[in-house]
mmCIF file of all heavy atoms in Angstrom:
data_model
loop_
_atom_site.group_PDB
_atom_site.id
_atom_site.type_symbol
_atom_site.label_atom_id
_atom_site.label_comp_id
_atom_site.label_asym_id
_atom_site.label_seq_id
_atom_site.Cartn_x
_atom_site.Cartn_y
_atom_site.Cartn_z
ATOM 1 N N ASN A 10 -63.821 106.224 -82.347
ATOM 2 C CA ASN A 10 -62.469 106.240 -82.898
ATOM 3 C C ASN A 10 -62.318 105.108 -83.882
ATOM 4 O O ASN A 10 -63.033 104.114 -83.828
ATOM 5 C CB ASN A 10 -61.427 106.180 -81.765
ATOM 6 C CG ASN A 10 -61.428 104.872 -81.000
ATOM 7 O OD1 ASN A 10 -60.987 103.823 -81.519
ATOM 8 N ND2 ASN A 10 -61.933 104.884 -79.773
ATOM 9 N N ALA A 12 -59.563 102.388 -85.254
ATOM 10 C CA ALA A 12 -58.250 101.821 -84.902
ATOM 11 C C ALA A 12 -57.442 101.561 -86.173
ATOM 12 O O ALA A 12 -57.943 100.960 -87.132
ATOM 13 C CB ALA A 12 -58.441 100.533 -84.122
ATOM 14 N N ILE A 14 -54.282 100.167 -85.699
ATOM 15 C CA ILE A 14 -53.909 98.824 -85.217
ATOM 16 C C ILE A 14 -55.020 98.412 -84.271
ATOM 17 O O ILE A 14 -55.323 99.135 -83.310
ATOM 18 C CB ILE A 14 -52.554 98.844 -84.478
ATOM 19 C CG1 ILE A 14 -51.409 99.266 -85.397
ATOM 20 C CG2 ILE A 14 -52.280 97.471 -83.834
ATOM 21 C CD1 ILE A 14 -50.977 98.244 -86.412
ATOM 22 N N LYS A 15 -55.635 97.278 -84.533
ATOM 23 C CA LYS A 15 -56.864 96.912 -83.836
ATOM 24 C C LYS A 15 -56.593 96.133 -82.546
ATOM 25 O O LYS A 15 -55.635 95.365 -82.461
ATOM 26 C CB LYS A 15 -57.720 95.984 -84.712
ATOM 27 C CG LYS A 15 -57.899 96.432 -86.133
ATOM 28 C CD LYS A 15 -58.957 97.483 -86.267
ATOM 29 C CE LYS A 15 -59.187 97.843 -87.732
ATOM 30 N NZ LYS A 15 -59.985 99.065 -87.843
ATOM 31 N N TYR A 16 -57.512 96.330 -81.639
ATOM 32 C CA TYR A 16 -57.589 95.521 -80.420
ATOM 33 C C TYR A 16 -58.488 94.334 -80.750
ATOM 34 O O TYR A 16 -59.636 94.505 -81.130
ATOM 35 C CB TYR A 16 -58.170 96.430 -79.327
ATOM 36 C CG TYR A 16 -59.008 95.818 -78.237
ATOM 37 C CD1 TYR A 16 -58.593 94.684 -77.530
ATOM 38 C CD2 TYR A 16 -60.215 96.411 -77.885
ATOM 39 C CE1 TYR A 16 -59.383 94.170 -76.508
ATOM 40 C CE2 TYR A 16 -61.004 95.896 -76.861
ATOM 41 C CZ TYR A 16 -60.583 94.766 -76.192
ATOM 42 O OH TYR A 16 -61.365 94.269 -75.191
ATOM 43 N N TRP A 17 -57.950 93.125 -80.620
ATOM 44 C CA TRP A 17 -58.762 91.924 -80.901
ATOM 45 C C TRP A 17 -58.259 90.793 -80.014
ATOM 46 O O TRP A 17 -57.189 90.255 -80.229
ATOM 47 C CB TRP A 17 -58.660 91.533 -82.398
ATOM 48 C CG TRP A 17 -59.795 90.647 -82.844
ATOM 49 C CD1 TRP A 17 -59.707 89.372 -83.317
ATOM 50 C CD2 TRP A 17 -61.199 90.986 -82.898
ATOM 51 N NE1 TRP A 17 -60.970 88.900 -83.641
ATOM 52 C CE2 TRP A 17 -61.898 89.870 -83.383
ATOM 53 C CE3 TRP A 17 -61.923 92.132 -82.537
ATOM 54 C CZ2 TRP A 17 -63.281 89.856 -83.542
ATOM 55 C CZ3 TRP A 17 -63.312 92.118 -82.687
ATOM 56 C CH2 TRP A 17 -63.959 90.994 -83.187
ATOM 57 N N SER A 31 -53.075 98.941 -79.144
ATOM 58 C CA SER A 31 -53.804 99.392 -80.330
ATOM 59 C C SER A 31 -53.589 100.896 -80.499
ATOM 60 O O SER A 31 -53.264 101.588 -79.535
ATOM 61 C CB SER A 31 -55.292 99.037 -80.226
ATOM 62 O OG SER A 31 -55.835 99.478 -78.999
ATOM 63 N N ARG A 70 -75.482 96.024 -69.362
ATOM 64 C CA ARG A 70 -74.056 96.329 -69.568
ATOM 65 C C ARG A 70 -73.730 97.730 -69.055
ATOM 66 O O ARG A 70 -72.700 97.940 -68.396
ATOM 67 C CB ARG A 70 -73.733 96.201 -71.064
ATOM 68 C CG ARG A 70 -72.258 96.286 -71.352
ATOM 69 C CD ARG A 70 -71.932 95.910 -72.766
ATOM 70 N NE ARG A 70 -70.554 96.231 -73.060
ATOM 71 C CZ ARG A 70 -70.027 96.226 -74.281
ATOM 72 N NH1 ARG A 70 -70.753 95.926 -75.317
ATOM 73 N NH2 ARG A 70 -68.751 96.550 -74.447
ATOM 74 N N ALA A 103 -67.432 102.247 -84.138
ATOM 75 C CA ALA A 103 -67.377 101.773 -82.756
ATOM 76 C C ALA A 103 -68.312 102.563 -81.845
ATOM 77 O O ALA A 103 -67.902 103.520 -81.192
ATOM 78 C CB ALA A 103 -65.952 101.818 -82.249
ATOM 79 N N SER A 105 -69.667 101.412 -79.137
ATOM 80 C CA SER A 105 -69.365 101.156 -77.731
ATOM 81 C C SER A 105 -68.229 102.046 -77.245
ATOM 82 O O SER A 105 -68.173 102.404 -76.082
ATOM 83 C CB SER A 105 -69.040 99.683 -77.489
ATOM 84 O OG SER A 105 -67.886 99.318 -78.177
ATOM 85 N N ALA A 106 -67.329 102.436 -78.143
ATOM 86 C CA ALA A 106 -66.204 103.296 -77.753
ATOM 87 C C ALA A 106 -66.702 104.654 -77.290
ATOM 88 O O ALA A 106 -66.406 105.107 -76.176
ATOM 89 C CB ALA A 106 -65.216 103.441 -78.907
ATOM 90 N N SER A 137 -65.654 99.052 -72.321
ATOM 91 C CA SER A 137 -65.341 98.558 -73.672
ATOM 92 C C SER A 137 -63.893 98.943 -73.921
ATOM 93 O O SER A 137 -63.516 100.091 -73.719
ATOM 94 C CB SER A 137 -66.270 99.240 -74.662
ATOM 95 O OG SER A 137 -65.866 98.983 -75.969
ATOM 96 N N GLY A 138 -63.082 97.961 -74.319
ATOM 97 C CA GLY A 138 -61.646 98.223 -74.454
ATOM 98 C C GLY A 138 -61.344 99.447 -75.307
ATOM 99 O O GLY A 138 -60.562 100.323 -74.916
ATOM 100 N N SER A 139 -62.033 99.540 -76.439
ATOM 101 C CA SER A 139 -61.751 100.633 -77.368
ATOM 102 C C SER A 139 -62.202 101.988 -76.810
ATOM 103 O O SER A 139 -61.750 103.030 -77.275
ATOM 104 C CB SER A 139 -62.417 100.374 -78.713
ATOM 105 O OG SER A 139 -63.813 100.189 -78.554
ATOM 106 N N ALA A 140 -63.093 101.986 -75.797
ATOM 107 C CA ALA A 140 -63.560 103.253 -75.210
ATOM 108 C C ALA A 140 -62.413 104.005 -74.534
ATOM 109 O O ALA A 140 -62.447 105.252 -74.461
ATOM 110 C CB ALA A 140 -64.678 102.998 -74.213
ATOM 111 N N ARG A 142 -59.642 104.587 -75.693
ATOM 112 C CA ARG A 142 -58.983 105.435 -76.689
ATOM 113 C C ARG A 142 -59.793 106.670 -77.051
ATOM 114 O O ARG A 142 -59.280 107.542 -77.765
ATOM 115 C CB ARG A 142 -58.665 104.610 -77.953
ATOM 116 C CG ARG A 142 -57.735 103.402 -77.722
ATOM 117 C CD ARG A 142 -57.301 102.807 -79.056
ATOM 118 N NE ARG A 142 -58.450 102.591 -79.895
ATOM 119 C CZ ARG A 142 -58.911 101.398 -80.287
ATOM 120 N NH1 ARG A 142 -58.278 100.290 -79.946
ATOM 121 N NH2 ARG A 142 -59.978 101.305 -81.034
ATOM 122 N N SER A 189 -68.391 92.557 -80.737
ATOM 123 C CA SER A 189 -66.940 92.409 -80.593
ATOM 124 C C SER A 189 -66.570 91.622 -79.325
ATOM 125 O O SER A 189 -65.542 90.936 -79.314
ATOM 126 C CB SER A 189 -66.238 93.759 -80.643
ATOM 127 O OG SER A 189 -66.961 94.694 -79.902
ATOM 128 N N SER A 190 -67.427 91.656 -78.293
ATOM 129 C CA SER A 190 -67.083 90.904 -77.075
ATOM 130 C C SER A 190 -66.950 89.420 -77.397
ATOM 131 O O SER A 190 -65.994 88.749 -76.962
ATOM 132 C CB SER A 190 -68.154 91.093 -75.994
ATOM 133 O OG SER A 190 -68.352 92.448 -75.766
ATOM 134 N N HIS A 193 -63.727 88.880 -79.313
ATOM 135 C CA HIS A 193 -62.529 88.855 -78.462
ATOM 136 C C HIS A 193 -62.353 87.477 -77.824
ATOM 137 O O HIS A 193 -61.242 86.958 -77.735
ATOM 138 C CB HIS A 193 -62.632 89.892 -77.340
ATOM 139 C CG HIS A 193 -62.607 91.311 -77.831
ATOM 140 N ND1 HIS A 193 -61.591 91.827 -78.606
ATOM 141 C CD2 HIS A 193 -63.462 92.345 -77.632
ATOM 142 C CE1 HIS A 193 -61.845 93.104 -78.864
ATOM 143 N NE2 HIS A 193 -62.967 93.434 -78.295
ATOM 144 N N LEU A 239 -56.941 90.908 -88.582
ATOM 145 C CA LEU A 239 -58.040 90.724 -87.629
ATOM 146 C C LEU A 239 -59.146 89.854 -88.249
ATOM 147 O O LEU A 239 -59.648 88.916 -87.625
ATOM 148 C CB LEU A 239 -58.625 92.078 -87.233
ATOM 149 C CG LEU A 239 -59.764 92.096 -86.201
ATOM 150 C CD1 LEU A 239 -59.879 93.467 -85.568
ATOM 151 C CD2 LEU A 239 -61.118 91.696 -86.749
ATOM 152 N N LEU A 278 -61.402 97.993 -91.593
ATOM 153 C CA LEU A 278 -62.714 97.431 -91.252
ATOM 154 C C LEU A 278 -62.720 97.054 -89.788
ATOM 155 O O LEU A 278 -61.798 96.402 -89.325
ATOM 156 C CB LEU A 278 -62.939 96.126 -92.037
ATOM 157 C CG LEU A 278 -62.897 96.196 -93.537
ATOM 158 C CD1 LEU A 278 -62.405 94.877 -94.105
ATOM 159 C CD2 LEU A 278 -64.283 96.514 -94.047
ATOM 160 N N ASP A 279 -63.768 97.430 -89.072
ATOM 161 C CA ASP A 279 -63.938 96.940 -87.700
ATOM 162 C C ASP A 279 -64.847 95.710 -87.722
ATOM 163 O O ASP A 279 -64.942 95.046 -88.722
ATOM 164 C CB ASP A 279 -64.467 98.079 -86.817
ATOM 165 C CG ASP A 279 -63.353 99.009 -86.352
ATOM 166 O OD1 ASP A 279 -62.167 98.616 -86.477
ATOM 167 O OD2 ASP A 279 -63.659 100.086 -85.870
ATOM 168 N N ALA A 280 -65.534 95.455 -86.631
ATOM 169 C CA ALA A 280 -66.341 94.245 -86.521
ATOM 170 C C ALA A 280 -67.699 94.472 -87.158
ATOM 171 O O ALA A 280 -68.731 94.460 -86.500
ATOM 172 C CB ALA A 280 -66.481 93.861 -85.056
HETATM 173 O O1 PMV B 1 -64.074 97.835 -77.595
HETATM 174 P P1 PMV B 1 -64.624 96.651 -78.268
HETATM 175 O O2 PMV B 1 -64.775 95.493 -77.340
HETATM 176 O O3 PMV B 1 -65.919 96.973 -79.005
HETATM 177 O O4 PMV B 1 -63.588 96.144 -79.392
HETATM 178 C C1 PMV B 1 -63.231 96.897 -80.513
HETATM 179 C C2 PMV B 1 -62.880 95.991 -81.620
HETATM 180 C C3 PMV B 1 -62.535 96.677 -82.926
HETATM 181 O O5 PMV B 1 -63.360 97.794 -83.149
HETATM 182 C C4 PMV B 1 -62.782 95.675 -84.071
HETATM 183 C C5 PMV B 1 -61.058 97.075 -83.007
HETATM 184 C C6 PMV B 1 -60.670 98.310 -82.258
HETATM 185 O O6 PMV B 1 -59.532 98.324 -81.768
HETATM 186 O O7 PMV B 1 -61.437 99.280 -82.199
#
Side-chain angles (χ1 to χ4, degrees):
N10 66 72
I14 297 287
K15 313 280 184 192
Y16 149 50
W17 200 243
S31 51
R70 189 170 170 192
S105 63
S137 170
S139 57
R142 300 190 310 247
S189 41
S190 306
H193 293 304
L239 182 160
L278 301 150
D279 278 345

